């Protein structure tokens, strides 16, 4: 062989390789993922490669167009330190591609390999009682540990370099369900540094935490402990803020390296857990492209109100459409009773997700590993590799998603009502419940349910979010009220909005200290009234007024009015003497706007009346029109059209007459009424 030939041959073959990969990419890129995606979690590392194609063919047959892959496969990706093997993953992605299945890659950092934690034991988290976690489960890593971050980043970098331009990879999930933190001395030192950066001087910290109380005064940063659950309220809140910032930087450590090595078309997300409050999701989500959550019913059946609120909470993280990146195929393995959802309920749930703004629904998981902790969990195929009964229902969803996808493409939710939600407030109430039955999340849902039923669309957003687009803003339990949020609320009311504050609002300041004014603190003068005293209740307290007669449960705040134009809406009846005949809800018109304070925990009937009043007073209209009770309506807007998703959760068949003729997207034809069996679904579109 001549020298020129030997140089030429590799050159030629790499040219051929480049050309063929260019052709392949342009062919693949011509196919973009469907706008409404059905997916599943798939673990190719658990199966022989010879099985992959059969699995993918069954997925394709079910209309599944997305697999999430890799999120627990670190030991397979890096069997020894620095020794990466991603070829199998490359082959798995290519195999999926052949079946028109797109891939979301999970970084595997929720499950470090044994060699890693053996060699670097400092990467294992330490629990509050000082015990170091062991290998053998997952989430045993320390999220604050620099070595763990270094190892995670290297792994994410390898993955991104290899797959950041792969046409079949549409996005990334970083880690899996951030949750566990560490209480080791190194993390504590980081917390102390964080405090120093936030408070500047110990004098400032001591003043803002009122450490004169119980001789808590700190004279050196390294004296400051970690406290959780019970402790100085300023310290407790600071720790949770540190935890949140540390999750953010933990995520950013991987996110930056993925972004630097991937196409912008690939999104980056992480999977959250609904109302889980182990960190402030608004802090962590700000760096992501999209929110995604794991929607599990567990024991029992889908509660469309509670689950709908959770969707709306998740949609509020980025204030745009989101993914349900995990959901149960019938049942789970971790509840007290792992009952199955009924026949038809899984389909209804998938459409309920879409109605609330999900653009993807993905089942966890495709098939149970033959061994491992989750053998009993619901799946789409059995241990023999053939479909389980639910597969047919999921196939129906797959076909429907394919049909409805083009109609739903580019549509999103627009609401006239917003509910304000803040982690600071939920934590603050939870640390000092005052009535152990008081659950701030239940408080939010108690307002959400009747408001959602009237408006048929509600956003759940943080208190500093822009509010001008809403006709009605409701803040149940906005216990911690920062100056920024207070300004936002005041200008909303002055601009003509109706703000309703629920019980326990406006009590605390930014450091979880008491406001120096009584509740609702900086909003007292706008309201022309205030909370004179709060009472935890052992017995319900009667009240009556504009919203009829009812009972306050768990909690009652005695209100007073200062200004003549502040109106009393409800008054307590006879109870502990203090509350007898005193105001329970007050309201004041402010120019074109209004501010209302509700000091009682309203029973459901009264809350329904209160919600009706709030909606009428604010000009809130139902998104669709009236529907029989138990039928859920959702609305998604496109540029030219509006799409409604109607689901019958009432238990019996229901006929719904439509406010105008609409196209039945799933069944075809123009309709003026639809009849839905229990769990029946209609997707209807009409021009704007
Ligand atoms: C989720 C988790 C999955 C799987 C699932 C089972 O919390 O992200 O990996 O364990 O629960 O329901």
């Amino acid at each position: 062989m001549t020298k020129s030939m030997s140089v030429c041959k590799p050159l030629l073959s790499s040219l051929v390789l480049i050309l063929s990969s260019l052709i392949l990419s342009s062919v693949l890129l011509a196919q973009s993922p469907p706008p409404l995606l059905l997916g599943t979690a798939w673990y190719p590392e658990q199966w022989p490669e010879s099985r992959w194609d059969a699995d993918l063919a069954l997925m394709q047959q079910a209309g599944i167009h997305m697999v999430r892959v890799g999120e627990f496969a670190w030991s397979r990706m890096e069997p020894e330190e620095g020794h990466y093997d991603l070829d199998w993953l490359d082959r798995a992605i290519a195999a999926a591609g052949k079946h028109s299945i797109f891939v979301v890659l999970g970084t595997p950092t929720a499950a470090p390999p044994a060699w890693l934690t053996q060699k670097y034991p400092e990467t294992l988290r330490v629990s509050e009682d000082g015990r170091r976690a062991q290998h053998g489960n997952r989430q045993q890593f320390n999220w604050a540990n620099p070595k763990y971050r270094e190892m995670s980043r290297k792994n994410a970098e390898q993955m991104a370099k290899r797959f950041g331009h792969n046409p079949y990879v549409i996005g990334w999930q970083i880690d899996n369900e951030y949750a566990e933190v560490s209480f080791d001395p190194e993390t504590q030192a980081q917390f102390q540094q964080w405090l120093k950066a936030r408070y500047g001087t110990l004098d400032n910290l001591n003043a803002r935490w009122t450490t004169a109380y119980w001789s808590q005064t700190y004279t050196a940063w390294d004296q400051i402990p970690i406290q959780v659950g019970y402790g100085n309220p300023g310290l407790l809140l600071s720790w949770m803020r540190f935890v949140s910032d540390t999750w953010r930087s933990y995520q950013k450590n991987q996110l930056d390296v993925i972004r630097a090595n991937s196409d912008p078309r690939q999104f980056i997300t992480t999977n959250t857990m609904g109302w889980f409050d182990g960190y402030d999701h608004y802090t962590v989500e700000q760096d992501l492209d999209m929110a995604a959550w794991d929607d599990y019913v567990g024991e029992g059946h889908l509660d469309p109100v509670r689950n709908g609120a959770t969707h709306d909470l998740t949609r509020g993280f980025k204030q745009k459409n989101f993914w349900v990146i995990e959901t149960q195929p019938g049942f789970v393995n971790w509840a007290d009773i792992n009952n199955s959802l009924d026949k038809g309920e899984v389909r209804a749930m998938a459409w309920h997700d879409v109605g609330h703004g999900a653009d993807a629904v993905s089942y966890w998981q495709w098939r149970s590993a033959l061994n491992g902790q989750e053998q009993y969990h619901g799946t789409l195929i059995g241990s023999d590799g053939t479909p389980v009964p639910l597969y047919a229902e999921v196939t129906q969803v797959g076909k429907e998603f394919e049909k409805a996808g083009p109609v739903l493409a580019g549509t999103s939710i627009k609401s006239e009502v917003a509910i304000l939600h803040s982690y600071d407030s939920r934590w603050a109430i939870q640390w000092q419940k005052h009535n152990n039955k008081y659950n701030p999340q239940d408080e939010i849902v108690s307002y959400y349910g009747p408001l959602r039923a009237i408006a048929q669309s509600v956003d759940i957003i943080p208190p500093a979010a822009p509010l001008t687009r809403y006709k009605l803003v409701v803040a149940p339990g906005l216990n911690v009220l920062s100056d920024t949020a207070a300004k936002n609320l005041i200008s909303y009311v002055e601009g003509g909005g109706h703000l309703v504050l629920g019980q326990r609002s406006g009590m605390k300041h930014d450091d979880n200290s008491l406001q120096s004014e009584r509740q609702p603190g900086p909003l007292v003068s706008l309201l022309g009234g205030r909370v004179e005293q709060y009472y935890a209740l052992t017995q319900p307290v009667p009240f009556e007024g504009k919203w009829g007669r009812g009972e306050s449960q768990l909690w009652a705040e005695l209100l007073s009015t200062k200004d003549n134009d502040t109106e009393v809406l409800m008054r307590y009846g006879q109870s502990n003497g203090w509350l007898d005949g005193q105001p329970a809800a007050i309201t004041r018109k402010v120019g074109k706007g209004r501010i209302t304070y509700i000091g009682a925990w309203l029973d459901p009937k009264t809350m329904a009346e209160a919600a009706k009043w709030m909606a009428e007073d604010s000009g809130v209209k139902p998104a669709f029109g009236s529907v029989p009770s138990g039928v859920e309506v959702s609305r998604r807007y496109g540029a030219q059209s509006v799409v409604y998703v109607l689901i019958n959760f009432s238990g019996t068949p229901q006929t719904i007459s439509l406010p105008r003729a609409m196209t039945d997207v799933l069944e075809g034809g123009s309709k003026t009424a639809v009849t839905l069996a229990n769990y029946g679904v209609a997707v209807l579109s009409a021009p704007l």
Side-chain angles (χ1 to χ4, degrees):
M1 205 196 301
T2 64
K3 195 175 172 213
S4 68
M5 263 180 82
S6 69
V7 172
C8 242
K9 226 176 152 196
L11 244 180
L12 212 75
S13 57
S14 29
L15 211 70
V16 169
L17 247 172
I18 291 172
L19 266 176
S20 58
S21 80
L22 269 178
I23 292 167
L24 185 73
S25 331
S26 58
V27 169
L28 297 180
L29 273 177
Q31 293 184 33
S32 48
L36 190 56
L37 271 170
L38 188 71
T40 186
W42 179 47
Y43 299 97
E45 71 276 17
Q46 295 168 6
W47 303 98
E49 256 183 79
S50 54
R51 169 69 207 183
W52 292 356
D53 201 60
D55 279 323
L56 293 160
L58 277 169
M59 289 180 203
Q60 186 176 21
Q61 198 178 302
I64 287 174
H65 288 290
M66 188 279 288
V67 282
R68 190 194 60 190
V69 170
E71 83 278 11
F72 299 117
W74 196 338
S75 62
R76 185 72 193 271
M77 292 181 194
E78 191 183 356
E80 287 168 48
E81 184 169 358
H83 223 250
Y84 292 94
D85 174 10
L86 298 176
D87 292 351
W88 65 274
L89 192 48
D90 210 352
R91 292 195 297 278
I93 296 167
K98 280 196 203 126
H99 290 274
S100 304
I101 295 175
F102 292 84
V103 175
V104 173
L105 280 177
T107 68
T109 46
W115 60 256
L116 191 157
T117 50
Q118 183 184 44
K119 185 162 175 197
Y120 307 107
E122 71 274 22
T123 62
L124 286 166
R125 68 184 162 80
V126 172
S127 57
E128 260 184 278
D129 60 8
R131 271 188 302 166
R132 222 171 251 290
Q134 300 289 312
H135 188 77
N137 276 309
R138 56 181 170 180
Q139 298 188 325
Q140 66 268 41
F141 64 92
N142 176 356
W143 93 132
N145 179 261
K147 187 71 198 174
Y148 196 67
R149 290 185 176 204
E150 181 198 319
M151 304 297 282
S152 303
R153 191 179 171 95
K154 280 187 187 154
N155 186 290
E157 186 174 27
Q158 291 288 328
M159 287 180 78
K161 282 193 167 148
R162 184 78 179 252
F163 304 116
H165 307 289
N166 185 305
Y168 264 96
V169 175
I170 54 173
W172 297 81
Q173 174 187 300
I174 295 179
D175 205 88
N176 192 80
E177 295 186 340
Y178 308 146
E180 300 292 342
V181 301
S182 183
F183 300 88
D184 59 292
E186 199 187 322
T187 302
Q188 186 179 352
Q190 285 186 28
F191 174 47
Q192 290 157 348
Q193 281 307 312
W194 182 95
L195 289 169
K196 197 168 175 186
R198 182 177 170 94
Y199 289 98
T201 64
L202 282 168
D203 283 349
N204 184 32
L205 179 143
N206 282 320
R208 285 167 65 177
W209 292 3
T210 324
T211 54
Y213 174 82
W214 282 359
S215 206
Q216 286 167 6
T217 311
Y218 298 106
T219 53
W221 293 98
D222 62 6
Q223 294 163 354
I224 304 174
I226 296 174
Q227 286 184 321
V228 287
Y230 185 71
N232 179 294
L235 172 48
L236 293 176
L237 185 54
S238 293
W239 168 250
M240 290 312 295
R241 286 175 173 161
F242 165 78
V243 165
S244 308
D245 281 356
T246 307
W247 277 121
R248 184 182 179 200
S249 61
Y250 172 84
Q251 172 178 272
K252 211 164 178 319
N253 175 55
Q254 296 185 40
L255 185 144
D256 286 349
V257 86
I258 295 173
R259 251 203 196 125
N261 290 288
S262 61
D263 290 339
R265 73 181 162 81
Q266 295 182 340
F267 64 77
I268 306 180
T269 189
T270 193
N271 54 340
T272 58
M273 295 181 277
W275 295 92
F276 172 72
D277 67 354
Y279 62 91
D280 187 320
H281 291 50
Y282 301 112
T283 299
V284 170
E285 291 276 339
Q286 62 189 301
D287 299 320
L288 297 171
D289 298 312
M290 181 183 79
W293 79 289
D294 298 346
D295 185 2
Y296 291 99
V297 173
E299 184 176 337
H301 291 272
L302 181 76
D303 174 345
V305 172
R306 203 162 266 272
N307 207 66
T310 322
H311 283 314
D312 297 348
L313 169 81
T314 308
R315 196 179 67 247
F317 293 157
K318 302 293 296 178
Q319 295 181 44
K320 61 177 194 180
N321 291 6
F322 60 94
W323 277 25
V324 170
I325 204 163
E326 287 184 22
T327 192
Q328 70 191 54
F331 54 90
V332 299
N333 70 321
W334 43 257
D336 282 346
I337 301 175
N338 298 303
N339 65 283
S340 174
L341 297 183
D342 292 341
K343 195 165 185 184
E345 197 176 357
V346 166
R347 170 179 174 249
M349 187 170 170
W351 279 109
H352 163 81
D353 303 350
V354 174
H356 283 262
D359 283 339
V361 175
S362 184
Y363 292 96
W364 195 94
Q365 62 170 324
W366 175 245
R367 182 177 181 177
S368 284
L370 294 180
N371 222 323
Q373 277 87 324
E374 295 171 299
Q375 290 167 311
Y376 272 81
H377 201 283
T379 55
L380 296 179
I381 64 167
S383 60
D384 64 342
T386 68
V388 300
L390 182 69
Y391 176 89
E393 187 171 319
V394 169
T395 303
Q396 184 187 350
V397 176
K399 300 299 162 213
E400 290 175 347
F401 276 20
E402 283 171 355
K403 207 186 259 182
V407 181
L408 283 156
T411 60
S412 57
I413 311 270
K414 284 185 194 145
S415 308
E416 295 184 337
V417 179
I419 288 189
L420 303 184
H421 163 260
S422 108
Y423 290 93
D424 289 357
S425 295
R426 276 173 60 199
W427 292 325
I429 293 175
Q430 254 146 19
W431 291 322
Q432 299 184 68
K433 285 185 168 196
H434 210 60
N435 177 337
N436 71 0
K437 297 204 178 84
Y438 204 105
N439 176 336
Q441 182 190 324
D442 289 348
E443 183 185 355
I444 292 173
V445 175
S446 76
Y447 284 81
Y448 173 90
L451 284 168
R452 177 68 173 57
I454 294 170
Q456 298 167 339
S457 187
V458 170
D459 288 351
I460 300 183
I461 52 170
L467 300 176
T468 43
R469 78 180 88 141
Y470 299 106
K471 292 183 172 165
L472 173 65
V473 170
V474 182
L478 188 58
N479 196 243
V480 175
L481 187 58
S482 69
D483 291 343
T484 320
K487 272 197 202 114
N488 196 32
L489 299 185
I490 291 167
S491 69
Y492 171 68
V493 173
E494 288 175 346
H498 184 177
L499 170 70
V500 177
L501 297 163
Q503 60 274 23
R504 296 181 87 147
S505 290
M507 183 188 195
K508 303 286 196 73
H509 199 239
D510 209 26
D511 289 293
N512 205 6
S513 52
L514 293 169
Q515 297 270 5
S516 49
E517 273 186 281
R518 303 264 275 282
Q519 281 170 260
L523 303 176
V524 165
S525 58
L526 199 67
L527 178 65
R530 68 178 196 178
V531 175
E532 292 299 330
Q533 189 56 278
Y534 48 83
Y535 299 95
L537 303 180
T538 49
Q539 301 284 335
V541 167
F543 51 51
E544 64 177 287
K546 200 168 186 80
W547 307 325
R549 299 174 91 135
E551 282 179 338
S552 185
Q553 298 157 1
L554 309 176
W555 196 260
E557 286 165 344
L558 188 172
L559 310 181
S560 68
T561 58
K562 185 167 67 62
D563 293 8
N564 292 337
D565 54 353
T566 304
E567 196 190 325
V568 176
L569 295 169
M570 299 293 287
R571 281 185 191 276
Y572 296 106
Q574 224 177 1
S575 66
N576 62 1
W578 303 111
L579 287 163
D580 300 7
Q582 297 300 318
I586 58 179
T587 190
R588 178 164 180 252
K589 249 185 140 340
V590 181
K592 287 194 176 141
R594 177 181 286 286
I595 176 168
T596 300
Y597 191 100
I598 302 177
W601 186 307
L602 305 184
D603 61 277
K605 198 173 124 275
T606 316
M607 183 59 97
E609 287 304 313
K612 215 186 278 172
W613 173 82
M614 289 177 215
E616 268 164 25
D617 184 83
S618 327
V620 169
K621 301 267 177 318
F624 176 85
S626 86
V627 288
S629 119
V631 172
E632 195 205 47
V633 180
S634 298
R635 177 189 58 188
R636 292 177 54 149
Y637 273 109
Q640 316 279 327
S641 63
V642 54
V643 184
Y644 296 99
V645 179
L646 271 53
I647 310 173
N648 180 9
F649 288 109
S650 72
T652 51
Q654 299 289 350
T655 297
I656 301 124
S657 48
L658 311 183
R660 56 184 163 134
M662 295 184 184
T663 305
D664 189 325
V665 177
L666 301 182
E667 292 189 353
S670 174
K671 301 267 171 78
T672 51
V674 288
T675 298
L676 301 178
N678 186 36
Y679 295 132
V681 175
V683 180
L684 304 161
S685 86
L688 265 186

